[in-house]
């Protein structure tokens, strides 16, 4: 049996098939041009024109010009700035068409003022999203995701059953972002914790804290002298963006030995279960980023059964018109009253009690041996 000959392909068809891979980017480009922004703009423009015509020709009761406010808000949330400009021009034309048709026009001064205010608000929203390069509510979703990641980063690593730990963060003004943050890590029986305070409070300090939290989190597990590496990084940065203080704790879970290093930060306090009192750590140093070579005085000791360490920021002890030492004494008094009944359950109550009456970022880290 003889095989059938392969069908011959005309030269023109072969040339067209060879150009198919070159046509694919062009198709993608067309689809990109006619994107969601274009389709939404066409839909909103058509609705705006329809409302204008029906209001003037049919009924202002059923087709109220106030519907244009809703279309403008949708455009401010979803459209690009150039597309929003087209929509606003069409809305102005529709309002002009609605006005002089009737003896009693449906477009009054109140509606015009509201429409102008809505247009300015939509313009500002579209401009901000254009700078960020996001559309719709994606920018808010990114902030929420970032907030959740920061909360997970601030949590202490899992500790053995004969150890306990608690982190409490309270940002100024009820914001999700602030200038105080915590980074921590665990390698075997070694635990490292750093509490950092960026100057300022609330959202104003939150942007810098976001950048530093990632940097300090990477340095925490990569270098031996953590605060010296942080100081070198901040000293290389250009510009004066305020000061940064930090305290670093390195703890051995097998023996309870710890080392504390501080850079311009409020002192760490230790609860001695034997005497039932709190002792202030002697670790101290210069604020980060001020001098090229950081010199710190460390403090070390051993945590025994029932002992605890408390790291915190100045938002817990600093109050306007009062000395910091007085605030520290008040913190230790509240700690003696609340914490013996349970470190984990009373830690947040301690922060709420100390931060009441003033608006500042607060951070508290408690580590104890039950």
């Amino acid at each position: 049996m003889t095989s059938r000959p392969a069908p011959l392909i005309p030269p023109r068809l072969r040339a067209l098939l060879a150009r198919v891979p070159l046509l694919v980017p062009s198709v993608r480009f067309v689809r990109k041009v006619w994107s969601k922004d274009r389709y939404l703009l066409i839909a909103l423009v058509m609705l705006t024109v329809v409302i204008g015509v029906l209001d003037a020709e049919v009924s202002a009761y059923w087709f109220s010009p106030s519907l244009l406010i809703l279309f403008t808000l949708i455009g401010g949330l979803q459209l690009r700035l150039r597309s929003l400009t087209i929509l606003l021009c069409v809305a102005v034309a529709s309002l002009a068409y609605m006005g002089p048709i009737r003896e009693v026009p449906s477009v009054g001064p109140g509606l015009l003022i509201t429409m102008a205010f809505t247009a300015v608000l939509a313009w500002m929203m579209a401009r901000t999203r254009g700078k960020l390069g996001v559309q719709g509510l994606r920018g808010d979703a990114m902030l929420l995701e970032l907030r959740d990641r920061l909360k997970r980063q601030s949590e202490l690593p899992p500790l053995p059953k004969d150890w306990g730990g608690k982190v409490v963060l309270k940002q100024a003004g009820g914001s999700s972002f602030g200038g105080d943050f915590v980074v921590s890590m665990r390698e075997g029986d070694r635990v490292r914790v750093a509490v950092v305070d960026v100057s300022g409070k609330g959202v104003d300090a939150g942007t810098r804290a976001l950048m530093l939290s990632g940097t300090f989190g990477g340095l925490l597990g990569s270098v031996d002298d953590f605060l010296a590496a942080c100081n070198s990084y901040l000293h290389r940065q250009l510009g004066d963006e305020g000061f940064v203080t930090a305290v670093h704790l390195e703890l051995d879970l097998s023996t309870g030995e710890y080392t504390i290093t501080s850079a311009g930060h409020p002192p760490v306090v230790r609860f001695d279960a034997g005497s039932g009192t709190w002792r202030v750590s002697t670790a101290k140093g210069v604020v980060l980023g001020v001098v090229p070579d950081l010199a710190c005085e460390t403090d070390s000791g051993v945590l025994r059964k029932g002992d605890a360490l408390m790291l915190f920021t100045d938002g817990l002890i600093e109050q306007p018109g009062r000395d910091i030492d007085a605030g520290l004494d008040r913190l230790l008094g509240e700690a003696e009253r609340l914490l013996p009944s349970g470190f984990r359950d009373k830690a947040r109550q301690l922060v709420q009690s100390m931060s009441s009456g003033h608006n500042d970022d607060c951070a508290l880290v408690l580590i104890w041996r039950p």
Side-chain angles (χ1 to χ4, degrees):
M1 174 183 267
T2 59
S3 60
R4 299 176 60 183
L8 296 178
I9 301 177
R12 292 183 179 180
L13 182 58
R14 280 203 306 267
L16 180 61
L17 293 176
R19 293 179 58 186
V20 167
L22 299 177
L23 295 177
V24 172
S26 301
V27 174
R28 292 178 179 174
F29 176 78
V30 172
R31 289 180 178 176
K32 185 176 181 181
V33 172
W34 291 94
S35 59
K36 177 183 176 181
D37 182 81
R38 295 291 182 89
Y39 289 121
L40 182 60
L41 173 61
I42 294 173
L44 291 177
V45 167
M46 292 178 63
L47 288 174
T48 302
V49 173
V50 169
I51 291 297
V53 173
L54 294 178
D55 174 90
E57 303 295 341
V58 181
S59 172
Y61 180 79
W62 291 102
F63 304 99
S64 173
S66 59
L67 290 173
L68 301 184
I69 298 176
L70 177 61
F71 300 155
T72 304
L73 286 176
I74 295 175
L77 288 173
Q78 299 290 339
L79 294 179
R80 301 179 187 273
L81 193 59
R82 182 178 300 177
S83 300
L84 179 62
T85 304
I86 299 174
L87 177 63
L88 292 178
C89 293
V90 176
V92 170
S94 295
L95 290 173
Y97 181 75
M98 297 176 195
I101 296 297
R102 293 186 178 87
E103 296 179 359
V104 182
S106 58
V107 180
L111 178 62
L112 292 177
I113 294 175
T114 305
M115 188 65 188
F117 178 80
T118 306
V120 173
L121 180 62
W123 179 275
M124 294 174 60
M125 290 190 298
R127 184 180 180 184
T128 302
R129 289 188 295 102
K131 291 181 179 180
L132 294 176
V134 296
Q135 284 188 332
L137 301 178
R138 180 56 183 166
D140 297 334
M142 291 171 60
L143 288 177
L144 291 174
E145 184 179 353
L146 184 58
R147 180 202 63 184
D148 295 338
R149 288 180 179 270
L150 288 176
K151 285 185 177 181
R152 290 194 297 267
Q153 178 178 300
S154 298
E155 296 175 355
L156 292 176
L159 301 176
K161 61 180 180 179
D162 53 344
W163 285 90
K166 181 70 174 179
V167 176
V168 180
L169 296 175
K170 181 178 179 293
Q171 312 300 356
S175 171
S176 298
F177 304 95
D180 296 353
F181 62 91
V182 178
V183 290
S184 60
M185 63 158 295
R186 176 184 174 185
E187 285 183 338
D189 291 332
R190 310 288 296 184
V191 172
R192 291 185 174 186
V193 181
V195 180
V196 185
D197 184 2
V198 178
S199 60
K201 61 183 178 180
V203 180
D204 295 335
T207 53
R208 194 179 183 207
L210 290 176
M211 179 189 68
L212 293 181
S213 63
T215 303
F216 286 10
L219 292 174
L220 187 63
S222 304
V223 296
D224 294 330
D225 197 344
F226 170 71
L227 290 185
C230 295
N231 181 77
S232 300
Y233 170 79
L234 291 175
H235 194 265
R236 291 193 303 267
Q237 304 302 306
L238 300 178
D240 184 13
E241 299 184 1
F243 61 88
V244 177
T245 67
V247 62
H248 176 232
L249 167 67
E250 188 169 351
L251 175 64
D252 190 334
L253 298 176
S254 60
T255 62
E257 297 179 354
Y258 66 87
T259 303
I260 299 172
T261 312
S262 178
H265 205 79
V268 178
V269 293
R270 172 190 170 184
F271 177 72
D272 189 350
S275 60
T277 58
W278 291 87
R279 183 179 67 86
V280 179
S281 172
T282 58
K284 59 183 179 179
V286 184
V287 175
L288 294 176
V290 176
V291 295
D293 298 324
L294 185 67
C296 299
E297 296 182 10
T298 61
D299 185 20
S300 59
V302 179
L303 284 182
R304 299 178 176 86
K305 296 292 185 179
D307 292 355
L309 286 174
M310 183 165 61
L311 296 75
F312 53 91
T313 57
D314 58 3
L316 289 179
I317 60 176
E318 189 177 43
Q319 295 184 6
R322 299 187 61 179
D323 187 45
I324 293 183
D325 292 336
L328 181 59
D329 293 339
R330 179 170 173 261
L331 173 64
L332 296 181
E334 287 291 317
E336 290 180 359
R337 182 177 67 89
L338 295 175
L339 295 182
S341 59
F343 289 103
R344 184 181 303 275
D345 298 332
K346 298 297 182 178
R348 185 168 296 277
Q349 186 176 346
L350 175 63
V351 173
Q352 296 292 343
S353 175
M354 291 300 301
S355 61
S356 62
H358 67 285
N359 188 26
D360 199 358
D361 298 330
C362 302
L364 174 71
V365 177
L366 268 170
I367 298 179
W368 66 91
R369 300 188 73 173

